Amino acid sequence: MRFQWTAIASAILALSLLAGCDKDEAAPNAPSAPKAPENQQPEVVVPADNRTLSSLDMLTKGFPKFVAFRNSEAYFDRVRPAGMVGNEALWMDYFSKNYDGIIGKVLLEENQDVGKNLPVFVKYKEEHPEKTVLLHFNARAKRVNQMLKDMMDGTFFPGHILYQEGSKGVGDIAEAKGETTLKVEDADKFFHMNWRGANMTYQGGQWAFIVNLLPDGKPDWYSGEYVYLTGHNIEDNTLQAKRGLYGTPVRSFKAGQYVILPCEGGSSVGDDDFNFVYNYSVDGPKDKSGRNGIDALVDFLGKHFETDLKVFDGIAMDVLQVHEFTSVDADGDLVAESGLGMPNVELRKGLYEFAKKLRQRLGPDKLITVDGQDMSDYVNVGSYFNGMESEGWPFHQDLEVSEWSSGLNRTLYYQGDNVTQPRFTYFVSKMNSDVDRNKMYQPSDYWRLFNAAAAVTKSVVAVSSPWKQEDRSAKPPDKMFDELVKGAENVEGGWLGQPIGPLVRLAASTPDLLEGQGVEMSDSFISMFSGDRTTFAKNGGRLAVSSQKDATLFRFGPVDTKGMTDITLFFTISMDPDKRLYDDMRSELIIKAYDPSGKVVGGAETGGLVRKGLSDSPIGKDEFEVVVSYRDLKADELTLEFSTTNNSVMYLSKVTAHNAPDAVYREFEHGLVIANPSRSSDYTFDTSNLPGMTSPGRKYKRIQGTPYRDEKGVLRDDSVKVNTGQPVTAPIQLTHDALFLDVTD
């Protein structure tokens, strides 16, 4: 049985807080430093680890599969749900009965209160070796108080983080703890941050690093001092600073010192959630042991997985990104680089080097995943990871699944031969907070499509907490999504069994609007392509696209769409490696559609985030099928624009276009999953004889849905109306919906 809830225990363990570096004086808006005797992980007795990944149920059992996402962490170390916080027995009972594994934080890197999770996570793995346990780790940045402690004990050093360009100081600085006024040449460079191309202003304070220069003009990293800036005066070029915070040493500085700015990678700008960003540049400064930031972070994680995390099955790398900062000093020369060269190229190469070295350090029997719902950086990690995490799906605000085809592109790329085996990709049942979370977690067409996409791509569902942060008294849900546990039968996961056929894209079985010209590569088809300083030439059965520019940008069309509501296009694409990067690194392909007036067509516009008309996919040197689809068409023709920062040769083949939505199905040992993401076109599924079926003629019934009582006590029957439990006796028509069907013969 799934989702059993034991009675709430009477005793709740009080929260214990993460200790920060000792802080002599609190800075306004500075990161909080909870008081504790020491900032250390709990002592954990680690058993010998003789397992391999082949022993995990998550990698061997059937579909659907699901694990607990960070609710496994939050339910134990925070103030929800009622009765479980700090109660090890209750926590263990809940997560062992209801999930096939857990993903959560146990290291002191981002949240202040996760340290006490480690012993209970280890015990969970000891008692349930068949279950998967992954560390969730912020790979972009670390909380400032913990990073400063790590710098003082030699785990990291100041050159291992990224900086923005600052200003040269004026005059000497005396050794004095407390409030200090610093004189600089240009105070206007402070209290700004270049974030995703925008010059953002800090509303609170800002951290800075004062550093003397060596005779060669480079920073003397070991003689520097971190200070917290509370204000600045542009007219007289002064900065107000607090010194000696978090136990950092206070030093004196000669005239000519520099004041530079650590890049901040917290959840927002201007609050007290400060995190120092790791420097992934291959040319980043090295410490006395010869380690750059990549080496130091690999050492940090490697030592944990060799000791207190030895029984863990791997690591979920969160926000492994470098693209947010478009003007940073990555090589430690006190000058910020920008543009397509440094820092982007060197930082992107650094992500690849990090992935390679981490895999070498952890070995083949640890799972490593990386964010995949936004492709900006995860395409750079080569084949060293086992798969991706999608936080929400297709991305974390797309409740309309407007990017269905793009989501499948991203998922299938990392479920193919482009990753380290075994493959492990998961979708987090989480959406952005701009959308009402209370509505998101009700059974609905969105969640049926979400779960269907996971099943047909052989991905795992990572169940996230359905409550807002302020819902402190809520209990764990009394049920899972019906599709995951076979509805009212409430069975173990895996009830569909293994796939017995491939994922089938049904649009491909409809007539090709291009009449085969994109397969033959006819002259008339090639004439549909255009681009400035770009050539298009037939290369065997492929079209070779060569750009003489720094990036590739070209158009294809127009494609006649008169009278259509949906169109789905298939392209088989490969691309030579970017000459500025490593051969095994991939590129991000962006495709946009335009109507004759130049207006962007399709895409997502939901939850406060607009990704209008955007389709995307990873591409690399091996051929991969890229699918794009557009719905609710109103234009008589479309023109597609292809772009990527890689300017090497791109190859296209097997191009077809279809007047149909991107409906899909997949057969399993004990069931069938069907899905149509479109709202503008129905799709009728003849479940006994779909195109390309491996086992035609099987009989099915719908699962029996169950009512859902939400956190406010309202009984909802959304699932019951769709999942009726009735036999399938006629073709099923779906619009923006999906079904999990049970075999009856």
Side-chain angles (χ1 to χ4, degrees), residues 286-346:
K286 296 181 178 180
D287 61 17
K288 292 178 180 178
S289 299
R291 305 179 310 160
N292 60 18
I294 298 167
D295 301 323
L297 186 54
V298 170
D299 272 351
F300 173 81
L301 292 170
K303 289 175 182 177
H304 276 293
F305 274 91
E306 291 156 6
T307 55
D308 51 352
L309 302 185
K310 188 175 182 180
V311 299
F312 278 50
D313 298 299
I315 180 171
M317 306 296 296
D318 189 33
V319 287
L320 181 59
Q321 299 171 345
V322 297
H323 69 278
E324 290 96 339
F325 302 99
T326 53
S327 179
V328 295
D329 175 17
D331 57 4
D333 64 357
L334 303 177
V335 177
E337 298 86 14
S338 61
L340 288 176
M342 275 290 292
N344 287 340
V345 168
E346 298 308 318

Side-chain angles (χ1 to χ4, degrees), residues 182-320:
L182 308 177
K183 183 78 172 176
V184 295
E185 291 184 352
D186 187 1
D188 195 33
K189 289 191 174 182
F190 298 82
F191 291 88
H192 300 283
M193 182 174 72
N194 194 309
W195 175 264
R196 298 182 179 177
N199 188 15
M200 304 181 72
T201 301
Y202 279 84
Q203 301 302 313
Q206 183 179 25
W207 285 89
F209 186 62
I210 309 172
V211 61
N212 284 318
L213 302 186
L214 296 168
D216 62 2
K218 294 181 179 179
D220 183 4
W221 295 106
Y222 283 99
S223 68
E225 177 189 341
Y226 286 97
V227 299
Y228 184 76
L229 304 180
T230 58
H232 67 315
N233 188 313
I234 297 175
E235 293 182 1
D236 63 9
N237 284 317
T238 58
L239 307 170
Q240 285 69 53
K242 284 195 170 187
R243 306 173 67 185
L245 303 179
Y246 298 108
T248 54
V250 176
R251 297 187 168 106
S252 61
F253 297 87
K254 299 174 291 185
Q257 78 281 348
Y258 264 76
V259 183
I260 56 179
L261 302 168
C263 289
E264 196 278 318
S267 58
S268 59
V269 175
D271 64 7
D272 64 356
D273 185 17
F274 285 90
N275 295 276
F276 286 171
V277 176
Y278 297 110
N279 186 349
Y280 284 101
S281 172
V282 292
D283 294 326
K286 296 181 178 180
D287 61 17
K288 292 178 180 178
S289 299
R291 305 179 310 160
N292 60 18
I294 298 167
D295 301 323
L297 186 54
V298 170
D299 272 351
F300 173 81
L301 292 170
K303 289 175 182 177
H304 276 293
F305 274 91
E306 291 156 6
T307 55
D308 51 352
L309 302 185
K310 188 175 182 180
V311 299
F312 278 50
D313 298 299
I315 180 171
M317 306 296 296
D318 189 33
V319 287
L320 181 59

Side-chain angles (χ1 to χ4, degrees), residues 700-715:
Y700 300 96
K701 69 174 181 178
R702 300 192 185 209
I703 62 173
Q704 178 60 63
T706 55
Y708 181 90
R709 193 173 297 281
D710 67 19
E711 74 289 337
K712 295 183 179 179
V714 178
L715 192 65

Side-chain angles (χ1 to χ4, degrees), residues 373-422:
Q373 75 276 358
D374 294 310
M375 288 205 316
S376 301
D377 292 314
Y378 87 101
V379 294
N380 297 293
V381 299
S383 58
Y384 297 107
F385 286 6
N386 298 89
M388 73 172 200
E389 169 196 306
S390 183
E391 192 169 309
W393 193 92
F395 76 104
H396 53 282
Q397 287 184 315
D398 190 6
L399 283 170
E400 289 295 312
V401 293
S402 301
E403 294 188 19
W404 169 269
S405 300
S406 294
L408 291 180
N409 291 337
R410 295 189 291 265
T411 306
L412 293 172
Y413 193 89
Y414 276 82
Q415 286 288 61
D417 296 327
N418 306 292
V419 297
T420 295
Q421 304 298 315

Side-chain angles (χ1 to χ4, degrees), residues 100-168:
D100 292 315
I102 56 177
I103 302 172
K105 290 187 178 297
V106 299
L107 297 183
L108 311 180
E109 35 94 6
E110 180 182 89
N111 289 347
Q112 296 274 17
D113 48 6
V114 299
K116 60 179 161 296
N117 292 343
L118 181 55
V120 73
F121 273 47
V122 169
K123 185 175 180 181
Y124 176 88
K125 184 64 184 179
E126 290 174 346
E127 295 184 358
H128 306 283
E130 76 285 358
K131 294 187 181 293
T132 303
V133 177
L134 296 184
L135 168 72
H136 187 275
F137 184 78
N138 185 333
R140 177 173 59 190
K142 177 175 284 195
R143 190 74 178 232
V144 60
N145 60 334
Q146 186 62 35
M147 179 62 85
L148 292 176
K149 174 187 177 296
D150 288 348
M151 287 182 182
M152 287 186 281
D153 68 17
T155 302
F156 296 98
F157 100 124
H160 290 157
I161 66 173
L162 278 179
Y163 294 88
Q164 297 180 94
E165 189 175 307
S167 175
K168 192 174 184 179

Side-chain angles (χ1 to χ4, degrees), residues 70-78 104-105 111 114 117 121:
R70 292 184 57 193
N71 48 352
S72 59
E73 155 203 332
Y75 286 7
F76 190 73
D77 67 27
R78 299 176 199 166
K105 290 187 178 297
N111 289 347
V114 299
N117 292 343
F121 273 47

Side-chain angles (χ1 to χ4, degrees), residues 431-474:
M431 299 297 278
N432 191 281
S433 58
D434 287 351
V435 184
D436 185 350
R437 281 188 95 169
N438 290 331
K439 294 179 181 177
M440 293 186 324
Y441 281 84
Q442 314 315 322
S444 66
D445 51 7
Y446 168 77
W447 289 113
R448 286 189 289 274
L449 286 164
F450 173 96
N451 288 316
V456 300
T457 59
K458 302 202 301 185
S459 300
V460 174
V461 173
V463 181
S464 184
S465 172
W467 302 291
K468 295 181 179 179
Q469 288 289 114
E470 59 268 23
D471 291 335
R472 306 301 190 186
S473 61

